[in-house]
Amino acid sequence: MPPHIPTRALGALTALGAAASPLAAQETLPFPPTPSASVAGPTMQTSKHQWRQQPQRLAPGAPNILVIMLDDAGFAQADAVGGEIHMPTLARIADTGIRYNAFHTTAVSSATRAALLTGRNHHRVGNGQIAEAANDWDGYSGVIPKTAATIPEVLKHYGYHTAAFGKWHNTPALQTTSMGPFDRWPTGHGFDTFYGFLGGETSQYEPRLYRNTVAVEPPHGGKYHLTEDLAQQAIGWLQQRQAYAPDKPFFMYWTPGAVHGPHHVFGEWADKYKGKFDSGWDAYRERVFARQKELGWIPADTRLNPRPEGLPAWDSLSPQEQKFQARLMEVFAGFLEHADAQAGKVIDELERLGLRDNTLVFYVMSDNGASSEGLAGSISELVAQNQIPTRVADHMAVLESYGGLPALGTAKVDNMYAAAWAQASSAPFQGTKLMAGYFGGTRTPLAVSWPKGIKTDRAVRPQFHHVNDIAPTIYDVLKIVQPKSVNGYQQDPMDGVSMAYTFGDAKAKGRKRTQYFEFMGSRGIYHDGWMASVAGPRLPWAPNFAGFLNWDAAQDKWALYKLDGDYSQAVDLAAKEPARLAQMQALFAREALENKVNPVGGGAFVFLNPQQRQSSGLTAWHFTDAARRLPETVAPNIKARNNIVTVQADLPEQGSGVLYALGGSSGGLSLFMDRGELVYEYNGLIMRRTQVRAGERLPAGRATIEVETRLVAAKPGAPADIVLRVNGREAGRGQLPFTVPLLFTASETFDVGMDLGAPVSRAYAERAPFAFNGKVHSVDVKYLP
């Protein structure tokens, strides 16, 4: 065994053929320049010219590699694994390859993506929390270090072309403006091409897109859908690669952001599931559990965990609410089938181009478990993250003003199904997304296909593996080793192990001995067939963070599970095996120290202290009408702190258009004019819209307009007083019932002179982006004490 290869990352270097060649075992990347084969003399007559031949860095026939990963899908949703949502592409990959039922992610998006791309644990690479909620502890910084090179950074040195399409979510929030720096964008992490969005979510109809580092506006209206766009962009890239570089292999990372909220899909897709969920989530869990066993997807002795306390029984709902909840699930199901269909278009193109046979495809069904962030069922998913209490009746009442149930899935709302649907979609497990200690939050179906290199086998692979194992598996298949240095940076060891030993042997003994999990205090540790788990101080479907107030991680009660015979973590052996539990707790403590997990629960810091959310440190800004697409995470906080915004503008007769806007239709604020009338609107996450209007229409000419915001109390979510002034005189006054403490959106922006993306106000939604027909000279923002 070469001494420079970390044992835990080695896998089976000879699993698929001959040992690595000397060139493939290069420890330092990039490779040294190939010397010239020509001889230069004093004159051309005395010189010899010969083209240098670049060495072959890869074994002949090295495969193309495609990673498909959806977002927030549940373990028990796809029909291929026992669920009731049609996913023919997932089935297609599994049926032409192999499948795994003990494959794991982290419990949240940014963390999983960082682990997948680097082969390291998520805290080790600074992603213990989503990028928007990063803090300054090393494990939660949101910065993937250059000491953990990504798959594309490594493969480029071996001649691969690389492309990423879809959701990224691994760039620090303060670096997402047009000023960069861009070394933490996808193109700075090894991708030749990127087309997608940077944040955690975006509207499927009005996404905030980038091509490489340049902002892109999708078409307005019509039948545009982001996931369809991402499939077409990937297909176009494959065609270009085939035309321009057919002799070079490729690595593609296709991660569309579906089916993360908001659940946006055309009505015809949702209507495929009309009536299929009318029996409710309790009945769904029972049906799916039985089918999982029938298919052999889960062991025959698996127990179904009960619905957790705090989630209602379906029969406890009123008939009207049952209709609302059933339609939310229908929309989600249509969205998931639609996303899988778009992945199928990419596979179709591989086949059309003759590339499918030698393409290694990893279809990771989801980056974490099903999301319960819709709480009790929501038309505005971010009310949960902003800890704004609402009732199902409130959501249903507001929905009626948008047209009732047919509005679900449209751009009008940001609907998310209820946590009870997410938990049922996690059968047979206990938890959901955000629960790191329980498999409902971290276990996802995996299908792997490589017709040229993997024999089709319907036997389920039960070996315990993790998303950080994909990178070492790829290096193993390509017969290359983890480099010690990449682009001048000494590399951290890998935490993942190769899965290649399972490709030809479904019954092979698992080689991953240890894996920890942690997210906001929910945590667990796997070791040699045992799992110790802690739910943490907050359940994902709880509406607030009250559990953190007196929480002491050292006092948490741990559970212990022997996974051989208890696939679903249903039988707690902590009381019977106290010595083993103590060993597992000590092992977690060691892993936490080594991987920068401490302080345990550190990912909750920004939610507990929203005033300390990462910011630029500026207290005053000067914008012109050239200011567009400034991400909300970087823009001035004019939504939830004392401030004054001063606009200098030339107003035409009957002036109309947006002067400035922050956020989108799911939440935001906008100052606009409509036929001479000045209006300020605060869209409180769809649930409450407050307008303050000037008493008179404004005449043509130069005007100074001020909007002053004053919170009535120094606490998150406090109401605020709004005062409008025109040329120094008060023109309007009102009060916001609450302010949004964290974020209106995950990807919308601050714009001057128009409202790009999803429109903040319904008043001009049909006229978006509602460009101002006068001239905005400046918008000055200043924080007030």
Side-chain angles (χ1 to χ4, degrees), residues 123-206:
H123 292 85
R124 187 190 295 280
V125 291
N127 276 260
Q129 179 53 279
I130 59 171
E132 296 88 346
N135 59 50
D136 204 33
W137 287 305
D138 287 341
Y140 304 91
S141 65
V143 178
I144 298 176
K146 294 300 184 181
T147 56
T150 64
I151 296 169
E153 283 179 292
V154 172
L155 295 191
K156 281 181 69 172
H157 293 294
Y158 287 89
Y160 272 76
H161 289 285
T162 59
F165 300 93
K167 173 175 169 177
W168 177 243
H169 213 197
N170 283 126
T171 297
L174 294 185
Q175 298 182 22
T176 57
T177 75
S178 60
M179 290 294 99
F182 299 114
D183 59 332
R184 308 289 178 180
W185 287 48
T187 51
H189 276 297
F191 286 105
D192 300 317
T193 296
F194 168 65
Y195 183 88
F197 60 100
L198 296 177
E201 65 180 51
T202 196
S203 167
Q204 293 288 314
Y205 303 119
E206 298 125 334

Side-chain angles (χ1 to χ4, degrees), residues 120 124-125 144-149 482 489-493 596:
R120 279 86 170 180
R124 187 190 295 280
V125 291
I144 298 176
K146 294 300 184 181
T147 56
Q482 181 204 359
Y489 292 92
Q490 293 300 306
Q491 295 293 292
D492 299 326
K596 306 176 185 177

Side-chain angles (χ1 to χ4, degrees), residues 2 14 55 85 104 193 201 220 242 303 318 330 364 479 511 524 531 554 558 603 647 661 780:
T14 58
I85 301 174
H104 300 82
T193 296
E201 65 180 51
H220 279 274
Q242 191 73 350
R303 299 170 179 83
S318 69
E330 291 169 8
V364 183
K479 305 179 181 69
R511 296 185 182 181
M531 183 81 179
W558 289 68
V647 179
D780 290 281

Side-chain angles (χ1 to χ4, degrees), residues 11 85 96 125 248 251-252 323 338 361 419 425 442 512 520 543 614-615 632 700 712 772:
I85 301 174
T96 57
V125 291
K248 300 293 184 182
F251 172 77
M252 181 185 289
K323 291 180 181 179
H338 177 265
V361 180
S425 296
T442 61
K512 193 175 190 76
M520 291 205 301
Q614 192 176 24
S615 71
E632 182 186 345
V712 302
F772 183 54

Side-chain angles (χ1 to χ4, degrees), residues 459-525:
V460 176
R461 268 66 177 162
Q463 296 86 1
F464 194 103
H465 277 288
H466 189 270
V467 71
N468 62 23
D469 298 331
I470 287 180
T473 302
I474 290 171
Y475 301 154
D476 189 350
V477 167
L478 299 182
K479 305 179 181 69
I480 64 177
V481 297
Q482 181 204 359
K484 283 189 173 181
S485 175
V486 177
N487 299 327
Y489 292 92
Q490 293 300 306
Q491 295 293 292
D492 299 326
M494 282 203 179
D495 298 299
V497 302
S498 173
M499 301 165 60
Y501 71 95
T502 67
F503 286 179
D505 187 357
K507 297 181 180 179
K509 183 179 179 181
R511 296 185 182 181
K512 193 175 190 76
R513 297 194 60 196
T514 304
Q515 179 63 51
Y516 83 87
F517 300 83
E518 195 277 342
F519 180 72
M520 291 205 301
S522 177
R523 57 204 189 277
I525 183 77

Side-chain angles (χ1 to χ4, degrees), residues 71-72 107-109 260 368-373 431-435 440-441 540:
D71 198 329
D72 284 10
V108 72
S109 173
H260 193 291
N368 44 243
S371 174
S372 55
E373 293 157 297
T432 65
K433 174 185 176 181
L434 308 185
M435 290 189 74

Side-chain angles (χ1 to χ4, degrees), residues 409-424:
T410 72
K412 295 179 180 179
V413 292
D414 270 27
N415 49 279
M416 284 275 288
Y417 59 13
W421 278 125
Q423 202 278 326

